[in-house]
Amino acid sequence: MSLKKIIDVGSVNSLLKKGIINKEGVRLIDCSFAVAPRPDWKEFEQEGYGEFKTLMAAPSPSRRLYQAGHIPEAVHVDLDIATYPSRYQRFQQYRADLFEKYAQMVGLNSKEHFIFYGKGAFGGMLFASKVAWIFKSYGHENISLIDGGFDSWKRNGLEVSTEDVKLPTGNWKAEDEFKKYVITFQELEAKKDGEENQFIEKTSEVNFLDSRIRGQFEGTQETGLDPHLVNGSRIKGFKNLPSAELLTKEGTLKSDDDIRSWMNKNGYVDDQPVITSCNAGIQAALLAYVIDAVKPSPVPPRVYNGSLKEMELRSPKKISEGPQHLPH
């Protein structure tokens, strides 16, 4: 089935009424996520890494959020199970062969079309776009994101379910497409033979897009960085395209034309590679997903799953330019 990358709630409701969801190659995936403190990465490495059966059986505030009400037939994917905490990243991605096991346990199959949505921030698209981008990085291209998420669904008076949907074990297979959709710290730091500049310094050749709110980018709001280690709030040459500005007051995406105009106004250069970043690769995934939808390119955006905090720990001199941080 061919569906757009961004899909409205009316189209999803039509699929439900026709009995297509979970029966004719379309899966509806709820990405409700309850933000919680970062787990201890060393402890998780010893006790939780890749233990999907145990993790799925454990009490989960995100699952409770899903069970409180969701679109009928939607199965839940928990970002805290789909990823793991590492030393530097809050949502580190698993190896493809491990993530594949989790997707199969959820009940997903390779040839299906996945429709993602969520609740809360950024029209319910914040964590949904992150999970969608994760699946893209494992080679799954048949993906849609519900514009406005669960709030838009409820606002339109559509049916809500509290059923904990369980699907039979799926046959989904992962491919390693990380280099196509994700960029690592090592790649940002790398230099090509004979070149003086690291990749991260090629800001005139690459759209390096910081998707954080303007206050954090400009240093007028707290970023969580240590002012004794770094002397600013952003990386020199990066452009600020806040993901929050993609949305209307109603929590749905602005028109494609408005988004393209906004991108160009904020320094986006057509036909240049795109790297998006933020505090944990979440807002960056939303920006990347929308750019991929409204300005499709043979070379898609790549998301940096780390943060300025990782830069601070690994290479503090990279973070400069901009006002000093607010005092702690």
Side-chain angles (χ1 to χ4, degrees):
M1 176 169 290
S2 178
L3 298 171
K4 294 180 179 180
K5 293 178 180 178
I6 307 291
I7 188 171
D8 60 69
V9 294
S11 298
V12 177
N13 191 46
S14 177
L15 293 173
L16 275 170
K17 287 183 175 180
K18 293 176 181 178
I20 291 174
I21 304 295
N22 291 343
K23 295 177 183 177
E24 296 187 26
V26 179
R27 294 294 192 205
L28 188 55
I29 300 175
D30 184 296
C31 304
S32 296
F33 182 71
V35 179
R38 174 189 172 97
D40 183 280
W41 69 273
K42 289 184 178 179
E43 182 178 311
F44 189 90
E45 185 177 64
Q46 296 295 320
E47 300 178 3
Y49 181 85
E51 297 293 335
F52 300 122
K53 185 175 181 179
T54 301
L55 293 171
M56 292 174 74
S60 165
S62 295
R63 175 164 283 277
R64 287 195 293 272
L65 190 59
Y66 157 77
Q67 292 169 333
H70 58 82
I71 299 176
E73 303 295 337
V75 68
H76 184 242
V77 166
D78 191 329
L79 184 59
D80 262 343
I81 300 177
T83 62
Y84 69 95
S86 68
R87 179 179 181 182
Y88 293 115
Q89 294 186 15
R90 172 67 177 84
F91 302 105
Q92 180 78 49
Q93 290 186 227
Y94 281 104
R95 297 193 322 264
D97 61 310
L98 281 177
F99 180 81
E100 178 181 289
K101 296 178 181 178
Y102 175 56
Q104 291 175 354
M105 292 173 72
V106 171
L108 306 180
N109 298 297
S110 289
K111 294 184 179 181
E112 293 171 334
H113 190 105
F114 299 162
I115 301 175
F116 297 90
Y117 77 94
K119 297 178 179 178
F122 295 73
M125 294 177 282
L126 186 61
F127 298 110
S129 61
K130 178 62 176 179
V131 176
W133 204 260
I134 286 172
F135 272 92
K136 287 177 78 70
S137 73
Y138 290 115
H140 197 93
E141 295 289 347
N142 296 326
I143 282 174
S144 297
L145 182 69
I146 298 182
D147 190 6
F150 188 63
D151 284 349
S152 181
W153 182 268
K154 289 196 301 180
R155 193 163 53 244
N156 280 271
L158 300 174
E159 181 184 355
V160 173
S161 171
T162 57
E163 178 189 2
D164 194 349
V165 177
K166 303 291 185 182
L167 300 174
T169 300
N171 63 18
W172 190 81
K173 295 292 183 182
E175 299 175 11
D176 187 344
E177 293 286 355
F178 288 6
K179 287 187 177 297
K180 185 176 180 181
Y181 292 106
V182 176
I183 191 165
T184 65
F185 177 84
Q186 290 78 9
E187 289 176 277
L188 290 173
E189 292 270 282
K191 292 182 182 180
K192 288 186 177 179
D193 292 341
E195 293 187 357
E196 293 185 5
N197 290 335
Q198 297 173 320
F199 181 71
I200 197 173
E201 296 171 318
K202 297 182 178 182
T203 52
S204 63
E205 304 170 33
V206 179
N207 284 303
F208 284 106
L209 309 180
D210 188 323
S211 60
R212 297 175 300 157
I213 59 174
R214 296 195 184 275
Q216 288 189 342
F217 182 78
E218 294 167 357
T220 59
Q221 293 187 33
E222 183 57 69
T223 63
L225 301 175
D226 186 342
H228 299 291
L229 288 179
V230 299
N231 189 36
S233 57
R234 61 184 185 262
I235 299 173
K236 184 178 180 180
F238 278 37
K239 301 160 186 173
N240 191 205
L241 275 73
S243 291
E245 295 179 12
L246 293 167
L247 307 176
T248 66
K249 292 180 180 179
E250 291 73 33
T252 55
L253 290 170
K254 295 176 180 176
S255 72
D256 290 4
D257 286 343
D258 284 347
I259 291 173
R260 285 190 286 263
S261 175
W262 169 81
M263 289 167 58
N264 293 331
K265 180 181 178 181
N266 284 283
Y268 180 92
V269 180
D270 290 329
D271 301 320
Q272 285 190 352
V274 176
I275 307 296
T276 63
S277 64
C278 61
N279 286 327
I282 305 294
Q283 295 177 68
L286 177 56
L287 180 60
Y289 191 97
V290 173
I291 290 175
D292 191 47
V294 305
K295 274 186 176 283
S297 167
V299 180
R302 300 175 73 189
V303 173
Y304 176 49
N305 282 330
S307 63
L308 283 185
K309 188 68 177 178
E310 180 177 7
M311 289 285 186
E312 173 194 57
L313 295 171
R314 291 185 167 195
S315 186
K317 291 183 180 179
K318 284 284 183 294
I319 307 171
S320 57
E321 193 178 84
Q324 294 289 326
H325 294 289
L326 296 174
H328 284 268

